[in-house]
Amino acid sequence: MTEAPITLLPYHQPAIATILVQTSFIIVLNVVNHVLNNLIYCGLLGQILIGVAWGAPGAEWLGKEVQEAIVQIGYLGLVFLVYEGGLSTSYASLKANLLLSTAIALTGVGLPIAFSFSLRALVMATPLQAFTAGAALCSTSLGTTFTILGTTGLLKTRIGTILVSATMLDDVVGLVLVEVISNLGSSASSPNVPAVVRPIAVSIGLVVLLLLCGRFLVKPQIQNGWQTTIGSSFLRGVSRDHAAFISHTLILFGFVTGATYAGTSGLFAAYLAGLLLGWCDSERSIQSLRNEEGSSIEQPRSRSRAGESASNPARPTGLWVYDRYYSAVVERILKPLFFASIGFSIPIRQLFGGDIVWRGLVYTVLMLLGKLLTAAVLGTAMVTRGEIGFLIASLAESQGIFRDSSSASSPHERGGSSQVYLVVIWANVLCTIIGPITMGFLVRRVKKMQARDEDSGGPDSWGTLGA
């Protein structure tokens, strides 16, 4: 007998206990994030631990339905986080340092995956499980990287540009692997070539399409005097700022929807959407400067408008639209909910078995080496795994990739999480803690050396490092 379809959801006043639990959840997420970001640059770890405490692994103050809703809403926070990363990427800097950034990124991806095959000896993992574990630990936390660089003043240096580019490439690989692993999980009994090749091929196709559209469609229009905000031509009845907001939102979720149906990661598409809008803004800015240089009469008026552009630009940029319409909600609600939702899937009570702890520590050391071998300062900043690593590991566990029928007799496999998953979570958590702390220590050390160099008249320490 089938249940009758639900035609309405009766409204009822929530209990005071529910209100207090959910209010405290949001407040504590933001307070912990602020405190830990100022102390050790890893507020996201605190939010993940709050998710553990309030969710199913801990006290379970939040009901199952509420946790499922938080997972769905929080995923929007990840979409906007990746989109903001695309907007913040300087195309010119990315192009100038592409070879070096690519070499660092490939090293940062290849070594963790190679070292992850040690799991075959540590926990009797299969090759697919070892590869998936390496995929989870090859990414670098985008949010943490921007926080570290912004706080230490390295964001606009050459080191910062190279690090951001390498981090982006690491995360692009991670985002593509999310879709590959998802496909492998859905066909784990008989993996097929299309399940692996399709996300990679579609991702490459998206990049090529983006480059072609930018070169042969967008750039000629900008050079011919296209100075309006993208999409404002068909939103004439809407104010300039609202037109920019609507058009940018349509571009973002148009990319995400198209890429998802095409068979690749919607998160990768979100990054490309941000990169496209950021590139359009930079091209329009360059064209405006050229026009001003060619017209001496218009220069005084252009400068007066330029002075007003910081708070109310003549043409809203992608970052301006993001800061005005998205930033507050994303920073205070969506991103905290996303990181907390990752905590819902961490089996904290199973992490402290003796055999799991020492295996997790050994694997953590290998994952630290996998990033530290890229370079001293760059490596410590890229140690932090964060959101993409937790996402891939949780996805692989839920898809059954980390579970193997031959290991069903293990005490950690009976009614609980797999040993591979627990070891990967150990490495991810420890790397997320160690990365920001060591980076902060090194930056403070180099700044002391820099002050000493200034007093003695010697060469700048940042210059020695290539900054």
Side-chain angles (χ1 to χ4, degrees):
M1 182 177 179
T2 60
E3 295 182 0
I6 299 176
T7 58
L8 59 88
L9 182 64
Y11 177 81
H12 66 276
Q13 180 179 347
I16 186 61
T18 301
I19 295 175
L20 293 175
V21 167
Q22 295 179 0
T23 302
S24 64
F25 181 63
I26 295 295
I27 292 175
V28 173
L29 282 175
N30 284 279
V31 171
V32 168
N33 179 65
H34 177 76
V35 172
L36 292 184
N37 270 340
N38 288 332
L39 291 178
I40 54 175
Y41 312 115
C42 58
L44 67 89
L45 180 63
Q47 292 175 334
I48 291 171
L49 295 178
I50 295 300
V52 172
W54 262 253
E60 203 169 359
W61 291 326
L62 299 170
K64 180 181 178 182
E65 294 80 7
V66 175
Q67 293 182 59
E68 291 174 347
I70 289 175
V71 170
Q72 296 170 12
I73 297 173
Y75 190 80
L76 290 175
L78 180 59
V79 171
F80 281 110
L81 176 64
V82 176
Y83 173 65
E84 182 189 12
L87 287 173
S88 303
T89 301
S90 169
Y91 178 78
S93 299
L94 179 64
K95 183 178 179 180
N97 297 282
L98 185 60
L99 292 179
L100 181 56
S101 299
T102 302
I104 294 173
L106 290 177
T107 304
V109 170
L111 289 180
I113 291 178
F115 289 165
S116 291
F117 279 84
S118 63
L119 291 174
R120 300 200 66 185
L122 284 174
V123 291
M124 303 301 292
T126 65
L128 175 59
Q129 291 170 344
F131 173 80
T132 304
L137 273 299
C138 77
S139 62
T140 305
S141 173
L142 185 62
T144 304
T145 300
F146 275 111
T147 302
I148 294 173
L149 295 178
T151 303
T152 57
L154 289 176
L155 189 58
K156 296 183 179 180
T157 65
R158 183 167 181 257
I159 284 182
T161 300
I162 295 171
L163 180 56
V164 168
S165 302
T167 299
M168 294 293 182
L169 292 174
D170 275 359
D171 280 359
V172 164
V173 173
L175 295 175
V176 174
L177 289 176
V178 167
E179 197 66 26
V180 172
I181 291 168
S182 179
N183 290 342
L184 287 174
S186 62
S187 57
S189 58
S190 57
N192 54 77
V193 175
V196 178
V197 173
R198 184 179 179 184
I200 300 174
V202 174
S203 299
I204 295 174
L206 279 176
V207 175
V208 173
L209 180 62
L210 189 70
L211 293 174
L212 292 176
C213 288
R215 175 65 180 84
F216 296 105
L217 181 61
V218 177
K219 190 171 184 177
Q221 294 294 327
I222 293 175
Q223 292 175 342
N224 290 333
W226 178 41
Q227 299 294 329
T228 58
T229 302
I230 294 177
S232 62
S233 58
F234 61 86
L235 294 170
R236 297 187 185 278
V238 184
S239 69
R240 178 205 62 181
D241 297 347
H242 294 342
F245 164 68
I246 294 172
S247 59
H248 289 193
T249 303
L250 290 175
I251 290 172
L252 169 60
F253 287 99
F255 270 56
V256 171
T257 302
T260 302
Y261 278 110
T264 191
S265 172
L267 297 176
F268 179 48
Y271 173 73
L272 292 181
L275 187 63
L276 172 64
L277 291 173
W279 176 79
C280 289
D281 293 335
S282 64
E283 287 294 318
R284 281 204 300 267
S285 177
I286 293 172
Q287 188 63 33
S288 296
L289 290 175
R290 290 173 180 170
N291 293 340
E292 290 177 5
E293 290 174 357
S295 176
S296 58
I297 298 176
E298 292 294 328
Q299 279 185 358
R301 189 167 55 183
S302 298
R303 286 173 182 166
S304 66
R305 280 199 293 260
E308 299 171 359
S309 63
S311 59
N312 191 20
R315 294 179 301 276
T317 64
L319 280 174
W320 185 87
V321 171
Y322 183 89
D323 289 338
R324 176 170 180 177
Y325 290 95
Y326 299 125
S327 181
V329 175
V330 173
E331 293 297 325
R332 301 301 182 193
I333 303 295
L334 297 181
K335 278 170 59 175
L337 291 183
F338 166 69
F339 290 124
S341 69
I342 295 295
F344 297 160
S345 62
I346 297 178
I348 192 69
R349 298 173 186 175
Q350 302 174 42
L351 284 178
F352 293 95
D355 52 343
I356 294 299
V357 172
W358 75 262
R359 289 184 172 100
L361 293 175
V362 171
Y363 187 52
T364 299
V365 172
L366 293 175
M367 293 302 99
L368 290 173
L369 290 175
K371 292 292 187 180
L372 289 173
L373 291 178
T374 58
V377 175
L378 291 175
T380 55
M382 296 181 70
V383 159
T384 305
R385 295 331 201 266
E387 59 274 3
I388 304 298
F390 283 113
L391 179 65
I392 295 176
S394 299
L395 179 64
E397 177 73 358
S398 63
Q399 294 280 356
I401 293 176
F402 282 157
R403 297 178 181 274
D404 184 53
S405 58
S406 63
S407 60
S409 59
S410 170
H412 294 283
E413 296 280 344
R414 293 195 300 265
S417 302
S418 63
Q419 287 195 38
V420 179
Y421 176 67
L422 296 175
V423 170
V424 170
I425 291 299
W426 258 115
N428 211 334
V429 170
L430 292 179
C431 286
T432 302
I433 297 173
I434 294 171
I437 293 176
T438 53
M439 181 62 180
F441 172 79
L442 285 176
V443 169
R444 284 192 292 270
R445 175 63 178 166
V446 174
K447 284 189 174 182
K448 289 181 180 178
M449 294 169 58
Q450 189 179 31
R452 184 189 62 194
D453 294 338
E454 290 178 355
D455 294 337
S456 62
D460 188 359
S461 298
W462 281 134
T464 304
L465 293 172

